[in-house]
Amino acid sequence: MPLTRDQITQRAAKELHDGFIVNLGIGMPTLVANYIPPGMDVWLQSENGLLGIGPFPSEADVDPDLINAGKQTITARKGASYFSSADSFAMIRGGHIDMCILGAMQVSQTGDIANWMIPGKMVKGMGGAMDLVAGVRKIVVTMEHNAKDGTAKLVKQCSLPLTGQNCVHMLITDLCVMEFDQGKQRFVLTEVAPGVTVDEVKQKTEAEILVSPNLRTVST
Amino acid sequence: MVKKVHESAAAALADLKSKGVLRDGMTVLVGGFGLCGIPEHLIKALRDTGVTGLTCVSNNAGVDDFGLGLLLQTRQIRKMISSYVGENATFEQQFLKGELEVEFNPQGTLAERIRAGGAGIPAFYTATGVGTPVAAGKEIREFYRPSDDTTFHNRTPGATSGTYAQMAPKVAPRGADHPRRREYVLETGLYGDLALVKAWKADEFGNLVYRKTARNFNPMMATAAAFVIAEVEEIVPVGAIDPDAVHTPGNYIDRIVKTVPEKRIEQRTVRKA
């Protein structure tokens, strides 16, 4: 059984550690915030200038001056800080953020990521994605293993324009978990979803991948 | 003291054509992230001056009927320099017809270009965008990450002589696991003819205090234009703001106008009761 979006999200949340400073991308990655284990202190950064995102506000607490990078109204947690966009991206580029979880349209076997434009379609812009993948210490990509038409998204070389090169550390899909080996410059299959075989993963992957000798089943 | 406070947004712009500040084809920096922290009344006042052919530097382009979307509707913008423009159908139509030019900058690069421009730094290297369409045609150079280089090897990239070479110790940079240099792309500083910024509070000298995430691009833009107008919600006498609490020092600000902003919300999201 492939993982549901919820299970992918839960698996991504297992990468969090106490005290981590984390930036969550728009969409599925945002939901990781719902699975931060109780008692674990994780600080969420929003690139529009907030460290310490709190829960969504009650109707009475909605403040137009307090939004996240997805332009949603939010709250700030106790101990939060506000800063300018220049300071925010200094934090990002300077390696002061421990982890970023974001989605992708394509990932290459050497850790390149493409997630901001499709040639021929209206380009909306990269926002902060290029800065995040270039600067954050650990980049975790969550995505469906294959596109809706079945084509591979983990490919030898991205056909789409890149967001960043050689920057993805971990990949969590509905089929498996892979970690990037810096020395071998390839992804290593470390976990498969319950009932999913190595052969199935390989068949649905265009990229050349390695298989860990300690292959496990994904636990969420 | 020079009188900076004006009665309305329109009044703050009224004489700027005759002063040569407002002119067709000029570059205008406009603060805000989405619709949060935008100088909404100054944008309307700029529209009403009829100035055209503008290059607008702003992280986003507003929505169809609010923010910079208003200047798009009237076709006063020739070019946008932004990081994301997803929420605007007018933008899309004009772009697809070739009537509007767009330069996408990564958000952090845009913020740093403006910061650098205001700080007198003409160019800087960043890892953001290397290997992507953003770096096309730009100078690329290898450096160690600053955090891998506490022994200052970046001081001597390829240098064989000179003062810096004598300073550099002859040991490999720290971080033996990853002693690789990485590629950086040269980006230029950005400075405008006019900046329109939004703050929460100002004193009559122009010291500004921003509020929550409405700060965003406003502090850098306030430093990076020949003429800077601040739209605020409250104006207090000089001395009423604690000097330790000032976000933008008043010398950067030429004019101040107090308004009652609408503060439209793009994605009203609330938790279930």
Side-chain angles (χ1 to χ4, degrees):
Chain A
M1 280 285 285
L3 303 182
T4 63
R5 285 169 62 88
D6 237 22
Q7 288 171 317
I8 294 174
T9 304
Q10 285 178 51
R11 177 60 190 82
K14 293 209 154 187
E15 296 305 307
L16 300 169
H17 293 283
D18 203 28
F20 255 32
I21 310 296
V22 179
N23 182 294
L24 300 176
I26 292 162
M28 184 158 61
T30 306
L31 304 174
V32 171
N34 299 335
Y35 295 103
I36 298 171
M40 186 184 281
D41 197 31
V42 171
W43 292 78
L44 300 177
Q45 197 250 18
S46 190
E47 62 262 30
N48 55 320
L50 165 62
L51 178 60
I53 304 176
F56 289 123
S58 65
E59 194 65 54
D61 289 337
V62 167
D63 184 342
D65 287 340
L66 183 47
I67 62 169
N68 64 16
K71 281 111 184 173
Q72 295 171 308
T73 48
I74 47 160
T75 58
R77 61 170 277 186
K78 200 177 279 184
S81 53
Y82 302 116
F83 34 83
S84 73
S85 301
D87 288 336
S88 180
F89 283 95
M91 195 183 280
I92 288 166
R93 266 188 258 98
H96 308 286
I97 309 271
D98 295 301
M99 187 164 82
C100 176
I101 306 176
L102 74 176
M105 299 193 284
Q106 284 181 332
V107 172
S108 84
Q109 63 189 16
T110 53
D112 299 346
I113 178 172
N115 70 355
W116 74 285
M117 71 174 283
I118 300 172
K121 289 203 177 174
M122 177 66 197
V123 183
K124 294 183 170 182
M126 69 292 281
M130 285 188 182
D131 305 281
L132 286 162
V133 299
V136 172
R137 288 177 175 275
K138 179 172 179 175
I139 301 296
V140 176
V141 167
T142 56
M143 66 178 193
E144 302 292 329
H145 200 87
N146 296 86
K148 287 202 177 77
D149 65 0
T151 53
K153 294 173 74 173
L154 180 54
V155 293
K156 288 191 190 307
Q157 200 168 12
C158 294
S159 57
L160 296 170
L162 295 187
T163 307
Q165 64 182 11
N166 197 217
C167 58
V168 178
H169 297 92
M170 186 174 212
L171 188 59
I172 304 173
T173 76
D174 50 331
L175 298 185
C176 63
V177 178
M178 296 193 199
E179 285 178 46
F180 193 73
D181 186 315
Q182 293 292 344
K184 293 178 178 137
Q185 288 292 300
R186 289 288 183 273
F187 280 99
V188 180
L189 180 63
T190 53
E191 298 171 39
V192 286
V196 172
T197 63
V198 173
D199 280 348
E200 183 182 351
V201 172
K202 283 188 169 172
Q203 189 204 330
K204 291 179 173 171
T205 302
E206 182 201 298
E208 188 183 297
I209 57 165
L210 306 171
V211 180
S212 166
N214 304 314
L215 188 70
R216 300 185 305 274
T217 303
V218 180
S219 66
T220 55
Chain B
M1 196 167 77
V2 181
K3 188 182 173 301
K4 295 185 179 180
V5 177
H6 285 60
E7 287 312 304
S8 66
L13 291 167
D15 61 340
L16 292 187
K17 267 190 185 165
S18 61
K19 283 185 183 299
V21 174
L22 276 189
R23 54 191 188 276
D24 292 347
M26 73 190 298
T27 296
V28 186
L29 277 51
V30 182
F33 180 92
L35 300 180
C36 182
I38 60 171
E40 48 184 88
H41 286 83
L42 286 171
I43 290 169
K44 285 178 189 161
L46 182 64
R47 175 194 62 187
D48 295 343
T49 66
V51 69
T52 63
L54 300 174
T55 295
C56 277
V57 180
S58 187
N59 189 55
N60 311 95
V63 295
D64 289 274
D65 62 342
F66 200 64
L68 282 180
L70 295 173
L71 287 170
L72 287 168
Q73 278 188 359
T74 51
R75 297 172 189 274
Q76 285 164 278
I77 300 176
R78 183 187 66 81
K79 179 179 179 179
M80 288 288 316
I81 300 178
S82 303
S83 88
Y84 188 82
V85 296
E87 293 90 3
N88 197 312
T90 313
F91 185 102
E92 189 165 338
Q93 284 161 17
Q94 291 182 17
F95 176 74
L96 292 175
K97 280 192 214 155
E99 297 167 349
L100 178 67
E101 197 185 324
V102 183
E103 179 187 316
F104 283 117
N105 284 196
Q107 197 174 139
T109 296
L110 182 62
E112 190 64 12
R113 288 185 68 194
I114 300 164
R115 197 200 68 80
I121 294 174
F124 59 92
Y125 288 96
T126 176
T128 302
V130 168
T132 80
V134 163
K138 293 176 186 163
E139 185 188 322
I140 300 283
R141 187 159 159 179
E142 287 191 353
F143 292 99
Y144 295 103
R145 282 173 207 262
S147 56
D148 284 341
D149 187 37
T150 53
T151 48
F152 314 121
H153 278 62
N154 281 336
R155 281 286 203 190
T156 57
T160 52
S161 63
T163 320
Y164 293 146
Q166 290 156 12
M167 286 169 61
K170 290 186 174 62
V171 296
R174 209 163 59 101
D177 292 343
H178 306 283
R180 284 187 308 157
R181 293 183 187 199
R182 70 191 294 212
E183 291 181 331
Y184 290 82
V185 58
L186 188 68
E187 295 281 2
T188 52
L190 201 158
Y191 199 88
D193 300 304
L194 173 69
L196 306 179
V197 302
K198 166 70 174 61
W200 174 43
K201 195 157 58 167
D203 68 17
E204 289 163 335
F205 176 55
N207 287 315
L208 301 183
V209 180
Y210 305 96
R211 186 170 177 272
K212 301 189 177 180
T213 56
R215 189 183 315 190
N216 55 61
F217 281 82
N218 287 299
M220 296 82 79
M221 288 184 172
T223 70
F227 201 89
V228 181
I229 310 177
E231 177 174 341
V232 302
E233 295 168 51
E234 187 184 355
I235 302 176
V236 297
V238 169
I241 299 174
D242 178 354
D244 263 334
V246 172
H247 293 139
T248 293
N251 63 310
Y252 289 105
I253 307 301
D254 294 292
R255 291 186 176 177
I256 311 156
V257 58
K258 181 185 163 183
T259 68
V260 180
E262 178 188 331
K263 294 194 186 181
R264 203 181 285 187
I265 293 173
E266 274 181 82
Q267 307 277 345
R268 175 180 288 267
T269 315
V270 295
R271 62 167 168 257
K272 289 170 196 117

